[in-house]
Amino acid sequence: QKEVEQDPGPLSVPEGAIVSLNCTYSNSAFQYFMWYRQYSRKGPELLMYTYSSGNKEDGRFTAQVDKSSKYISLFIRDSQPSDSATYLCAMGSGTYKYIFGTGTRLKVLA
Amino acid sequence: DAGITQSPRHKVTETGTPVTLRCHQTENHRYMYWYRQDPGHGLRLIHYSYGVKDTDKGEVSDGYSVSRSKTEDFLLTLESATSSQTSVYFCATGTLGNEQFFGPGTRLTVL
């Protein structure tokens, strides 16, 4: 079993839809959680960074962490074609090492 | 956005040749990382550095070495490239327990 599991997709949604992206993990020591967006042939771009449990909102993006269920989510409201990308989750326990999910491909259809 | 550059951005080489990839940062971050990204595997850590001349292995370090003589530069060397090292290589920087920022990547093909 991988430490971090992420559905690879692709996930196709119509423009304006609410998108839910998720990761599950097995290591209860993880406290730091990140979401990255990666366009084709580009480097990952940090979208959200959260510590411990709870929600964090930034514009159309909301990150949610449920440590009791070992489950994190990224919600995208009013999705746009420009949101079409691969979304990576990453998590760590406060040391140098972060574990990345394999990414979910998202397509937002105009 | 952290100032991270990688060079070269693309490289094609032959099996058995040495290859060095360079990462340069302008953010004065203490930690620097080298990852490779392959379909189905996501980002895997090759080596990392926690200070000048301080480096350690990641999960896929075999066949790779690194050096860090200055805060801003982190070099990744493939001593004798193999076809299994064909990949996209990303450098990242950060501070302990905090966000990691990624460079634009180097696409390496080993023939």
Side-chain angles (χ1 to χ4, degrees):
Chain A
Q1 183 189 4
K2 291 183 178 180
E3 271 191 290
V4 176
E5 299 277 1
Q6 186 173 11
D7 189 323
L11 176 63
S12 293
V13 301
E15 183 176 359
I18 296 175
V19 176
S20 173
L21 304 166
N22 312 294
C23 288
T24 59
Y25 62 95
S26 58
N27 189 341
S28 58
F30 288 152
Q31 298 183 76
Y32 300 87
F33 304 92
M34 296 182 285
W35 284 97
Y36 289 87
R37 176 175 63 196
Q38 186 175 22
Y39 292 115
S40 180
R41 295 183 171 261
K42 300 290 187 182
E45 170 195 8
L46 182 66
L47 281 178
M48 301 288 282
Y49 170 78
T50 55
Y51 169 72
S52 195
S53 286
N55 293 358
K56 183 175 181 179
E57 188 173 319
D58 185 0
R60 296 185 296 113
F61 298 92
T62 298
Q64 195 171 80
V65 175
D66 182 349
K67 292 185 69 180
S68 62
S69 300
K70 296 189 181 68
Y71 189 89
I72 68 171
S73 299
L74 178 71
F75 297 97
I76 307 174
R77 291 182 298 281
D78 187 26
S79 56
Q80 303 296 309
S82 59
D83 294 326
S84 297
T86 296
Y87 290 80
L88 307 170
C89 64
M91 47 199 78
S93 57
T95 67
Y96 70 91
K97 187 177 179 182
Y98 283 87
I99 306 297
F100 286 80
T102 52
T104 299
R105 285 175 52 206
L106 171 67
K107 295 182 180 179
V108 180
L109 305 173
Chain B
D1 208 22
I4 305 170
T5 56
Q6 293 184 232
S7 59
R9 295 293 314 280
H10 302 270
K11 185 168 183 67
V12 179
T13 191
E14 293 190 349
T15 298
T17 59
V19 176
T20 295
L21 309 183
R22 180 179 183 248
C23 177
H24 179 80
Q25 61 141 333
T26 58
E27 298 298 311
N28 201 35
H29 284 159
R30 178 181 175 187
Y31 285 78
M32 297 186 75
Y33 307 81
W34 277 108
Y35 292 90
R36 59 178 291 175
Q37 188 175 40
D38 304 288
H41 291 279
L43 285 158
R44 292 182 291 174
L45 182 65
I46 304 171
H47 280 280
Y48 73 101
S49 169
Y50 47 95
V52 174
K53 298 190 187 304
D54 293 321
T55 65
D56 207 346
K57 296 178 180 180
E59 63 179 300
V60 290
S61 59
D62 286 348
Y64 302 94
S65 62
V66 290
S67 66
R68 191 170 180 198
S69 58
K70 297 187 290 185
T71 298
E72 57 267 34
D73 291 326
F74 193 32
L75 304 180
L76 176 71
T77 297
L78 291 65
E79 302 290 347
S80 178
T82 68
S83 58
S84 64
Q85 293 175 313
T86 292
S87 187
V88 182
Y89 291 86
F90 287 102
C91 173
T93 73
T95 55
L96 185 64
N98 290 309
E99 306 98 311
Q100 287 191 8
F101 300 95
F102 283 82
T106 294
R107 190 169 295 270
L108 176 67
T109 301
V110 183
L111 301 176

